Structure formats: C-alpha cells, structure tokens
Amino acid sequence: MVGAILRVQSWLDMTPQAGINEFDKAYQGMLTGMAAVGIPMPENRAAGEDDTDVILRRLDNAVFTFIHHVRANHDPPLTPFQAVRGAFPQGAEMAPKSGFRKGTHIQVALCDPGCVEGWFLPIGEHLLSDQEYDNAIARRDAMAFKRKPRKRLLT
C-alpha cells in the first residue's frame, strides 16, 4: 500500500447530489441508447455465493465509461474528469438497521495520472523485497489465469 498526493482540478464526486444526478442522467441515456440498438445492459453481480455486497460492478463501470465518452465527444468537448470518487457501503451493519457498515470505504479512480504530485509509504508499511515482489507477481498471475477473459462492452 502507498499513499498518494493528488492535485485534481476536475472531479466526478459521487458523494454529493450533483454527482448522483450526473450518473443517473448518463444511466438513463445509456439505457435508452442500448435498448434502441438491442444491446443488453451490463449488470452488477455478486463475485460469489458469499458476496452480499455485489462487488462486481460492471454496470457502474459502463456508466462511468459512458460519462467520460460523452464528455470527450461533446461539441465542444467538456472538461474531462480527472478522477472519480465514491463511497461504498460494505460489510455487516454496525448496529441493527444502521446505515453504517463495518467495511464502508471511499474509493478514488484516477483517470489522469498527471494529477499525482507524489507518493509515500504510510507508517508501518515497507517496500517489498525482490523476493516479496516476485511472490506477489506470481500470486497475481495465478489469480488472473483462473479468471474468465474480460470482454469490453462499450467501444
């Protein structure tokens, strides 16, 4: 794990209502457009039987990709989003019927690597040794081999 220092000028922030409205507008447009040409919408799905949080977000990813595509191809082009930020409630409830969950977290998807001003190791973390790095690559490759090949839904 590393920490990063980011300088982002243009966010698609999914925590205030403006971001939610942007996503909804794009979803509705995508739904209409794909139905018109007979292409099924991607779906968010559970990663396995024990996945109660539905962590495979193919639909969400497709909508964000659509938002970026529309902004880039607008006439005149709209300012591209350099990053997307969202809150993800995950895990068990903190208390009965609570809206707070034990695994809730914020994720940032950086679209423009030029926003990275620097990086650092958080306290208690260390750089991997050559052997640790080789082992991590081997574990990654083994997991990738077991996965189904990905097919891009939007071009």
Side-chain angles (χ1 to χ4, degrees), residues 41-104:
M41 288 290 283
E43 296 178 6
N44 293 335
R45 295 188 182 182
E49 292 178 13
D50 60 343
D51 177 9
T52 58
D53 296 314
V54 188
I55 63 170
L56 295 178
R57 302 288 180 160
R58 292 183 179 114
L59 173 61
D60 296 349
N61 181 281
V63 174
F64 286 122
T65 300
F66 181 71
I67 289 169
H68 295 301
H69 176 79
V70 167
R71 292 181 74 81
N73 292 291
H74 189 271
D75 188 21
L78 300 171
T79 302
F81 290 121
Q82 296 172 301
V84 179
R85 180 175 89 154
F88 293 85
Q90 280 185 287
E93 293 175 336
M94 299 284 289
K97 299 188 187 209
S98 173
F100 299 100
R101 301 192 173 266
K102 292 184 179 184
T104 296

Side-chain angles (χ1 to χ4, degrees), residues 6-151:
L6 306 176
R7 184 183 306 264
V8 179
Q9 304 293 318
S10 178
W11 288 91
L12 173 51
D13 189 348
M14 295 300 297
T15 59
Q17 196 61 46
I20 293 167
N21 292 344
E22 179 96 16
F23 186 94
D24 184 48
K25 182 178 170 184
Y27 170 73
Q28 297 302 327
M30 198 174 140
L31 189 63
T32 301
M34 291 180 79
V37 295
I39 298 173
M41 288 290 283
E43 296 178 6
N44 293 335
R45 295 188 182 182
E49 292 178 13
D50 60 343
D51 177 9
T52 58
D53 296 314
V54 188
I55 63 170
L56 295 178
R57 302 288 180 160
R58 292 183 179 114
L59 173 61
D60 296 349
N61 181 281
V63 174
F64 286 122
T65 300
F66 181 71
I67 289 169
H68 295 301
H69 176 79
V70 167
R71 292 181 74 81
N73 292 291
H74 189 271
D75 188 21
L78 300 171
T79 302
F81 290 121
Q82 296 172 301
V84 179
R85 180 175 89 154
F88 293 85
Q90 280 185 287
E93 293 175 336
M94 299 284 289
K97 299 188 187 209
S98 173
F100 299 100
R101 301 192 173 266
K102 292 184 179 184
T104 296
H105 59 283
I106 301 289
Q107 286 184 9
V108 173
L110 192 62
C111 307
D112 178 0
C115 295
V116 178
E117 295 279 316
W119 66 276
F120 58 91
L121 290 173
I123 294 172
E125 296 295 329
H126 69 279
L127 288 176
L128 298 178
S129 69
D130 289 342
Q131 184 62 49
E132 289 171 318
Y133 180 76
D134 291 342
N135 291 342
I137 295 298
R139 284 193 310 273
R140 181 205 65 195
D141 292 347
M143 287 189 305
F145 182 73
K146 293 177 185 175
R147 278 187 288 184
K148 292 180 182 177
R150 292 182 166 208
K151 293 181 182 177

